[in-house]
PDB file of all heavy atoms in Angstrom:
ATOM      1  N   GLY A1179     -49.071 -20.083 -30.367  1.00 54.00           N
ATOM      2  CA  GLY A1179     -49.491 -19.532 -31.646  1.00 54.00           C
ATOM      3  C   GLY A1179     -48.792 -18.251 -32.039  1.00 54.00           C
ATOM      4  O   GLY A1179     -48.982 -17.761 -33.151  1.00 54.00           O
ATOM      5  N   VAL A1180     -47.976 -17.704 -31.141  1.00 56.00           N
ATOM      6  CA  VAL A1180     -47.277 -16.467 -31.456  1.00 56.00           C
ATOM      7  C   VAL A1180     -45.969 -16.765 -32.182  1.00 56.00           C
ATOM      8  O   VAL A1180     -45.213 -17.623 -31.777  1.00 56.00           O
ATOM      9  CB  VAL A1180     -46.994 -15.678 -30.169  1.00 56.00           C
ATOM     10  CG1 VAL A1180     -45.778 -14.795 -30.300  1.00 56.00           C
ATOM     11  CG2 VAL A1180     -48.184 -14.833 -29.851  1.00 56.00           C
ATOM     12  N   LEU A1181     -45.719 -16.031 -33.257  1.00 57.00           N
ATOM     13  CA  LEU A1181     -44.473 -16.215 -33.995  1.00 57.00           C
ATOM     14  C   LEU A1181     -43.615 -14.961 -33.980  1.00 57.00           C
ATOM     15  O   LEU A1181     -42.409 -15.038 -33.846  1.00 57.00           O
ATOM     16  CB  LEU A1181     -44.783 -16.612 -35.451  1.00 57.00           C
ATOM     17  CG  LEU A1181     -45.680 -17.844 -35.628  1.00 57.00           C
ATOM     18  CD1 LEU A1181     -45.881 -18.119 -37.109  1.00 57.00           C
ATOM     19  CD2 LEU A1181     -45.103 -19.052 -34.929  1.00 57.00           C
ATOM     20  N   ARG A1182     -44.209 -13.806 -34.143  1.00 58.00           N
ATOM     21  CA  ARG A1182     -43.468 -12.543 -34.120  1.00 58.00           C
ATOM     22  C   ARG A1182     -44.275 -11.508 -33.356  1.00 58.00           C
ATOM     23  O   ARG A1182     -45.456 -11.313 -33.635  1.00 58.00           O
ATOM     24  CB  ARG A1182     -43.224 -12.017 -35.543  1.00 58.00           C
ATOM     25  CG  ARG A1182     -42.451 -12.963 -36.445  1.00 58.00           C
ATOM     26  CD  ARG A1182     -40.990 -13.041 -36.053  1.00 58.00           C
ATOM     27  NE  ARG A1182     -40.257 -13.938 -36.935  1.00 58.00           N
ATOM     28  CZ  ARG A1182     -39.115 -14.543 -36.608  1.00 58.00           C
ATOM     29  NH1 ARG A1182     -38.595 -14.342 -35.417  1.00 58.00           N
ATOM     30  NH2 ARG A1182     -38.504 -15.331 -37.445  1.00 58.00           N
ATOM     31  N   THR A1183     -43.651 -10.834 -32.413  1.00 61.00           N
ATOM     32  CA  THR A1183     -44.329  -9.809 -31.629  1.00 61.00           C
ATOM     33  C   THR A1183     -43.486  -8.539 -31.604  1.00 61.00           C
ATOM     34  O   THR A1183     -42.293  -8.575 -31.884  1.00 61.00           O
ATOM     35  CB  THR A1183     -44.568 -10.288 -30.200  1.00 61.00           C
ATOM     36  OG1 THR A1183     -43.321 -10.678 -29.635  1.00 61.00           O
ATOM     37  CG2 THR A1183     -45.521 -11.471 -30.179  1.00 61.00           C
ATOM     38  N   PRO A1184     -44.097  -7.390 -31.269  1.00 63.00           N
ATOM     39  CA  PRO A1184     -43.339  -6.135 -31.250  1.00 63.00           C
ATOM     40  C   PRO A1184     -42.209  -6.173 -30.223  1.00 63.00           C
ATOM     41  O   PRO A1184     -42.240  -6.973 -29.282  1.00 63.00           O
ATOM     42  CB  PRO A1184     -44.395  -5.095 -30.861  1.00 63.00           C
ATOM     43  CG  PRO A1184     -45.697  -5.713 -31.222  1.00 63.00           C
ATOM     44  CD  PRO A1184     -45.518  -7.181 -30.989  1.00 63.00           C
ATOM     45  N   PRO A1185     -41.203  -5.323 -30.393  1.00 66.00           N
ATOM     46  CA  PRO A1185     -40.101  -5.262 -29.420  1.00 66.00           C
ATOM     47  C   PRO A1185     -40.613  -4.972 -28.015  1.00 66.00           C
ATOM     48  O   PRO A1185     -41.640  -4.311 -27.832  1.00 66.00           O
ATOM     49  CB  PRO A1185     -39.235  -4.105 -29.944  1.00 66.00           C
ATOM     50  CG  PRO A1185     -39.571  -4.001 -31.396  1.00 66.00           C
ATOM     51  CD  PRO A1185     -41.018  -4.380 -31.509  1.00 66.00           C
ATOM     52  N   ALA A1186     -39.902  -5.475 -27.025  1.00 70.00           N
ATOM     53  CA  ALA A1186     -40.296  -5.277 -25.627  1.00 70.00           C
ATOM     54  C   ALA A1186     -40.430  -3.788 -25.319  1.00 70.00           C
ATOM     55  O   ALA A1186     -39.618  -2.970 -25.756  1.00 70.00           O
ATOM     56  CB  ALA A1186     -39.266  -5.917 -24.698  1.00 70.00           C
ATOM     57  N   GLY A1187     -41.484  -3.453 -24.573  1.00 70.00           N
ATOM     58  CA  GLY A1187     -41.685  -2.072 -24.161  1.00 70.00           C
ATOM     59  C   GLY A1187     -42.435  -1.214 -25.148  1.00 70.00           C
ATOM     60  O   GLY A1187     -42.663  -0.032 -24.894  1.00 70.00           O
ATOM     61  N   THR A1188     -42.841  -1.795 -26.299  1.00 74.00           N
ATOM     62  CA  THR A1188     -43.539  -0.996 -27.312  1.00 74.00           C
ATOM     63  C   THR A1188     -45.014  -1.365 -27.430  1.00 74.00           C
ATOM     64  O   THR A1188     -45.733  -0.768 -28.230  1.00 74.00           O
ATOM     65  CB  THR A1188     -42.884  -1.144 -28.691  1.00 74.00           C
ATOM     66  OG1 THR A1188     -42.991  -2.509 -29.121  1.00 74.00           O
ATOM     67  CG2 THR A1188     -41.426  -0.730 -28.642  1.00 74.00           C
ATOM     68  N   GLY A1189     -45.474  -2.333 -26.653  1.00 72.00           N
ATOM     69  CA  GLY A1189     -46.873  -2.739 -26.753  1.00 72.00           C
ATOM     70  C   GLY A1189     -47.366  -3.381 -25.482  1.00 72.00           C
ATOM     71  O   GLY A1189     -46.596  -3.684 -24.573  1.00 72.00           O
ATOM     72  N   SER A1190     -48.678  -3.569 -25.406  1.00 76.00           N
ATOM     73  CA  SER A1190     -49.275  -4.214 -24.245  1.00 76.00           C
ATOM     74  C   SER A1190     -50.477  -5.031 -24.687  1.00 76.00           C
ATOM     75  O   SER A1190     -51.134  -4.732 -25.688  1.00 76.00           O
ATOM     76  CB  SER A1190     -49.718  -3.179 -23.204  1.00 76.00           C
ATOM     77  OG  SER A1190     -50.742  -2.350 -23.729  1.00 76.00           O
ATOM     78  N   LEU A1191     -50.742  -6.081 -23.931  1.00 81.00           N
ATOM     79  CA  LEU A1191     -51.880  -6.956 -24.178  1.00 81.00           C
ATOM     80  C   LEU A1191     -52.714  -7.052 -22.910  1.00 81.00           C
ATOM     81  O   LEU A1191     -52.175  -7.236 -21.825  1.00 81.00           O
ATOM     82  CB  LEU A1191     -51.402  -8.361 -24.573  1.00 81.00           C
ATOM     83  CG  LEU A1191     -52.452  -9.478 -24.493  1.00 81.00           C
ATOM     84  CD1 LEU A1191     -53.484  -9.324 -25.588  1.00 81.00           C
ATOM     85  CD2 LEU A1191     -51.780 -10.840 -24.571  1.00 81.00           C
ATOM     86  N   ASP A1192     -54.035  -6.902 -23.045  1.00 88.00           N
ATOM     87  CA  ASP A1192     -54.953  -7.110 -21.924  1.00 88.00           C
ATOM     88  C   ASP A1192     -56.048  -8.066 -22.371  1.00 88.00           C
ATOM     89  O   ASP A1192     -56.495  -8.013 -23.531  1.00 88.00           O
ATOM     90  CB  ASP A1192     -55.599  -5.790 -21.479  1.00 88.00           C
ATOM     91  CG  ASP A1192     -54.636  -4.903 -20.724  1.00 88.00           C
ATOM     92  OD1 ASP A1192     -54.143  -5.339 -19.662  1.00 88.00           O
ATOM     93  OD2 ASP A1192     -54.366  -3.788 -21.204  1.00 88.00           O
ATOM     94  N   ARG A1193     -56.477  -8.916 -21.457  1.00 91.00           N
ATOM     95  CA  ARG A1193     -57.593  -9.814 -21.725  1.00 91.00           C
ATOM     96  C   ARG A1193     -58.609  -9.718 -20.601  1.00 91.00           C
ATOM     97  O   ARG A1193     -58.253  -9.478 -19.458  1.00 91.00           O
ATOM     98  CB  ARG A1193     -57.109 -11.260 -21.849  1.00 91.00           C
ATOM     99  CG  ARG A1193     -56.396 -11.559 -23.156  1.00 91.00           C
ATOM    100  CD  ARG A1193     -55.958 -13.013 -23.172  1.00 91.00           C
ATOM    101  NE  ARG A1193     -55.370 -13.357 -24.457  1.00 91.00           N
ATOM    102  CZ  ARG A1193     -54.777 -14.509 -24.712  1.00 91.00           C
ATOM    103  NH1 ARG A1193     -54.685 -15.419 -23.762  1.00 91.00           N
ATOM    104  NH2 ARG A1193     -54.275 -14.751 -25.898  1.00 91.00           N
ATOM    105  N   ARG A1194     -59.861  -9.938 -20.968  1.00 94.00           N
ATOM    106  CA  ARG A1194     -60.926  -9.956 -19.981  1.00 94.00           C
ATOM    107  C   ARG A1194     -61.894 -11.095 -20.308  1.00 94.00           C
ATOM    108  O   ARG A1194     -62.150 -11.388 -21.476  1.00 94.00           O
ATOM    109  CB  ARG A1194     -61.709  -8.632 -19.972  1.00 94.00           C
ATOM    110  CG  ARG A1194     -60.914  -7.433 -19.516  1.00 94.00           C
ATOM    111  CD  ARG A1194     -60.519  -7.509 -18.052  1.00 94.00           C
ATOM    112  NE  ARG A1194     -59.829  -6.313 -17.605  1.00 94.00           N
ATOM    113  CZ  ARG A1194     -58.514  -6.121 -17.708  1.00 94.00           C
ATOM    114  NH1 ARG A1194     -57.747  -7.052 -18.260  1.00 94.00           N
ATOM    115  NH2 ARG A1194     -57.961  -5.002 -17.264  1.00 94.00           N
ATOM    116  N   ALA A1195     -62.443 -11.717 -19.276  1.00 95.00           N
ATOM    117  CA  ALA A1195     -63.463 -12.739 -19.466  1.00 95.00           C
ATOM    118  C   ALA A1195     -64.791 -12.070 -19.821  1.00 95.00           C
ATOM    119  O   ALA A1195     -65.076 -10.962 -19.371  1.00 95.00           O
ATOM    120  CB  ALA A1195     -63.608 -13.576 -18.204  1.00 95.00           C
ATOM    121  N   PRO A1196     -65.638 -12.737 -20.602  1.00 97.00           N
ATOM    122  CA  PRO A1196     -66.942 -12.168 -20.934  1.00 97.00           C
ATOM    123  C   PRO A1196     -67.926 -12.357 -19.795  1.00 97.00           C
ATOM    124  O   PRO A1196     -67.654 -13.071 -18.818  1.00 97.00           O
ATOM    125  CB  PRO A1196     -67.364 -12.996 -22.155  1.00 97.00           C
ATOM    126  CG  PRO A1196     -66.755 -14.346 -21.887  1.00 97.00           C
ATOM    127  CD  PRO A1196     -65.416 -14.038 -21.246  1.00 97.00           C
ATOM    128  N   ALA A1197     -69.092 -11.741 -19.906  1.00 97.00           N
ATOM    129  CA  ALA A1197     -70.172 -11.974 -18.952  1.00 97.00           C
ATOM    130  C   ALA A1197     -70.521 -13.462 -18.946  1.00 97.00           C
ATOM    131  O   ALA A1197     -70.459 -14.120 -19.989  1.00 97.00           O
ATOM    132  CB  ALA A1197     -71.395 -11.147 -19.331  1.00 97.00           C
ATOM    133  N   PRO A1198     -70.894 -14.016 -17.777  1.00 95.00           N
ATOM    134  CA  PRO A1198     -71.165 -15.462 -17.690  1.00 95.00           C
ATOM    135  C   PRO A1198     -72.150 -15.974 -18.726  1.00 95.00           C
ATOM    136  O   PRO A1198     -71.999 -17.091 -19.231  1.00 95.00           O
ATOM    137  CB  PRO A1198     -71.704 -15.613 -16.266  1.00 95.00           C
ATOM    138  CG  PRO A1198     -71.051 -14.509 -15.499  1.00 95.00           C
ATOM    139  CD  PRO A1198     -70.975 -13.355 -16.465  1.00 95.00           C
ATOM    140  N   VAL A1199     -73.153 -15.179 -19.077  1.00 94.00           N
ATOM    141  CA  VAL A1199     -74.153 -15.628 -20.039  1.00 94.00           C
ATOM    142  C   VAL A1199     -73.546 -15.859 -21.419  1.00 94.00           C
ATOM    143  O   VAL A1199     -74.095 -16.617 -22.235  1.00 94.00           O
ATOM    144  CB  VAL A1199     -75.317 -14.606 -20.114  1.00 94.00           C
ATOM    145  CG1 VAL A1199     -74.860 -13.313 -20.770  1.00 94.00           C
ATOM    146  CG2 VAL A1199     -76.513 -15.201 -20.854  1.00 94.00           C
ATOM    147  N   LEU A1200     -72.403 -15.248 -21.706  1.00 95.00           N
ATOM    148  CA  LEU A1200     -71.766 -15.366 -23.018  1.00 95.00           C
ATOM    149  C   LEU A1200     -70.724 -16.479 -23.091  1.00 95.00           C
ATOM    150  O   LEU A1200     -70.194 -16.759 -24.169  1.00 95.00           O
ATOM    151  CB  LEU A1200     -71.094 -14.039 -23.394  1.00 95.00           C
ATOM    152  CG  LEU A1200     -72.033 -12.867 -23.651  1.00 95.00           C
ATOM    153  CD1 LEU A1200     -71.239 -11.571 -23.801  1.00 95.00           C
ATOM    154  CD2 LEU A1200     -72.878 -13.116 -24.902  1.00 95.00           C
ATOM    155  N   VAL A1201     -70.434 -17.119 -21.960  1.00 93.00           N
ATOM    156  CA  VAL A1201     -69.348 -18.110 -21.919  1.00 93.00           C
ATOM    157  C   VAL A1201     -69.490 -19.225 -22.956  1.00 93.00           C
ATOM    158  O   VAL A1201     -68.485 -19.664 -23.521  1.00 93.00           O
ATOM    159  CB  VAL A1201     -69.217 -18.686 -20.494  1.00 93.00           C
ATOM    160  CG1 VAL A1201     -68.318 -19.920 -20.476  1.00 93.00           C
ATOM    161  CG2 VAL A1201     -68.646 -17.618 -19.559  1.00 93.00           C
ATOM    162  N   PRO A1202     -70.703 -19.713 -23.283  1.00 92.00           N
ATOM    163  CA  PRO A1202     -70.763 -20.748 -24.321  1.00 92.00           C
ATOM    164  C   PRO A1202     -70.288 -20.273 -25.694  1.00 92.00           C
ATOM    165  O   PRO A1202     -69.907 -21.085 -26.529  1.00 92.00           O
ATOM    166  CB  PRO A1202     -72.250 -21.115 -24.366  1.00 92.00           C
ATOM    167  CG  PRO A1202     -72.783 -20.706 -23.038  1.00 92.00           C
ATOM    168  CD  PRO A1202     -72.010 -19.467 -22.680  1.00 92.00           C
ATOM    169  N   TYR A1203     -70.297 -18.951 -25.912  1.00 95.00           N
ATOM    170  CA  TYR A1203     -69.996 -18.413 -27.231  1.00 95.00           C
ATOM    171  C   TYR A1203     -68.686 -17.631 -27.297  1.00 95.00           C
ATOM    172  O   TYR A1203     -68.080 -17.532 -28.365  1.00 95.00           O
ATOM    173  CB  TYR A1203     -71.133 -17.475 -27.673  1.00 95.00           C
ATOM    174  CG  TYR A1203     -72.502 -18.082 -27.549  1.00 95.00           C
ATOM    175  CD1 TYR A1203     -73.386 -17.674 -26.560  1.00 95.00           C
ATOM    176  CD2 TYR A1203     -72.911 -19.096 -28.413  1.00 95.00           C
ATOM    177  CE1 TYR A1203     -74.648 -18.242 -26.429  1.00 95.00           C
ATOM    178  CE2 TYR A1203     -74.167 -19.670 -28.300  1.00 95.00           C
ATOM    179  CZ  TYR A1203     -75.024 -19.242 -27.300  1.00 95.00           C
ATOM    180  OH  TYR A1203     -76.262 -19.821 -27.179  1.00 95.00           O
TER     181      TYR A1203
END
């Protein structure tokens, strides 16, 4: 789904899973 992203070294992405109770949503 990514088409254009910032130049290398200028940004960062982090992801985290939600609490188990929230997984359905």
